[in-house]
Amino acid sequence: MITGLLVGLFLPFVAQTLTRWTAGVERSERSDQVLRAAIRLQGDFSAAASLDVAPRGAQQASLAFGGNSQSCWFVRAVPEGLGVVLQSITLSLDESAKGAALIRRSALFDPDRFGRDPRALEAAVAVISGGYRMHFNYVSRDGTRTDIWTEAAELPARVELSIRSLDGRDPIPAPLSLIFFNPPQRRHL
């Protein structure tokens, strides 16, 4: 009888504690996933190369950077040995039954293939996936925000990746901002 009374008294407390603990673990896992994605993406964006590309047959060169709300593509300079290797990077948001996934694709830079179908690139890796809604925004040097980068003359000052949870619990309170650190002078290829 006393045992039943004690169990009846403590059961609601234990159930509430376990519920809060589980929610805390889920928030922690989401935050960790977003942090790992931010570190990976910041490394890519901080190595973005500011160069003009003119594919074969093109009359005019354009900046090797482009983006819209669902994808972003650019060239990344990677130190290798005593030189630098250029990589084409495409970040695309692919929808799945469980939400969106941010897929990073890369390949050695080829001016003739740059900016085309991202699935043609190699090395596809999910940077972040799960029950999220995501989209890209681009911020110009004068602070104008847009979801399509059409400024062919310069790199954006900032790229924002907005990550929202499908269940309403946001892993971060504001869009994740990925900033170009002092983009190098433009080079022509």
Side-chain angles (χ1 to χ4, degrees), residues 13 17 80 90 108 132 151 161 172 177 183-184:
F13 171 74
T17 301
E80 187 173 290
T90 298
L108 288 176
Y132 300 110
E151 185 63 47
L161 175 62
I172 52 175
S177 290

Side-chain angles (χ1 to χ4, degrees), residues 68-71 91 93 102 135-138 147 159-161:
N68 56 43
S69 64
Q70 297 298 302
S71 62
L91 302 169
L93 301 175
L102 175 60
H135 71 271
F136 288 104
N137 279 312
Y138 306 91
D147 63 354
V159 176
E160 294 177 347
L161 175 62

Side-chain angles (χ1 to χ4, degrees), residues 1-172:
M1 174 107 160
I2 293 178
T3 305
L5 181 63
L6 288 175
V7 168
L9 287 174
F10 287 114
L11 192 59
F13 171 74
V14 170
Q16 187 177 30
T17 301
L18 286 175
T19 302
R20 287 183 181 166
W21 178 74
T22 302
V25 169
E26 288 173 2
R27 272 193 306 273
S28 177
E29 287 173 351
R30 273 191 277 217
S31 295
D32 183 57
Q33 187 181 37
V34 169
L35 178 62
R36 282 186 279 126
I39 291 168
R40 174 65 214 206
L41 296 174
Q42 191 62 57
D44 282 343
F45 279 107
S46 65
S50 181
L51 67 124
D52 288 322
V53 177
R56 275 186 220 118
Q59 296 294 330
Q60 187 175 359
S62 61
L63 183 66
F65 182 92
N68 56 43
S69 64
Q70 297 298 302
S71 62
C72 180
W73 54 95
F74 56 96
V75 176
R76 176 179 185 246
V78 180
E80 187 173 290
L82 297 176
V84 172
V85 173
L86 296 177
Q87 282 184 330
S88 292
I89 303 291
T90 298
L91 302 169
S92 60
L93 301 175
D94 295 350
E95 294 296 322
S96 71
K98 295 181 180 178
L102 175 60
I103 306 297
R104 178 190 184 274
R105 293 176 175 90
S106 64
L108 288 176
F109 175 68
D110 178 355
D112 293 326
R113 286 179 37 193
F114 185 74
R116 296 205 178 148
D117 185 1
R119 292 171 298 218
L121 296 180
E122 304 150 5
V125 175
V127 176
I128 186 170
S129 64
Y132 300 110
R133 286 176 284 136
M134 297 182 264
H135 71 271
F136 288 104
N137 279 312
Y138 306 91
V139 181
S140 67
R141 305 251 176 248
D142 67 3
T144 304
R145 295 179 83 231
T146 181
D147 63 354
I148 297 175
W149 187 254
T150 57
E151 185 63 47
E154 64 182 17
L155 291 172
R158 187 171 72 234
V159 176
E160 294 177 347
L161 175 62
S162 177
I163 303 173
R164 301 287 183 227
S165 176
L166 290 177
D167 63 9
R169 292 184 249 163
D170 295 329
I172 52 175

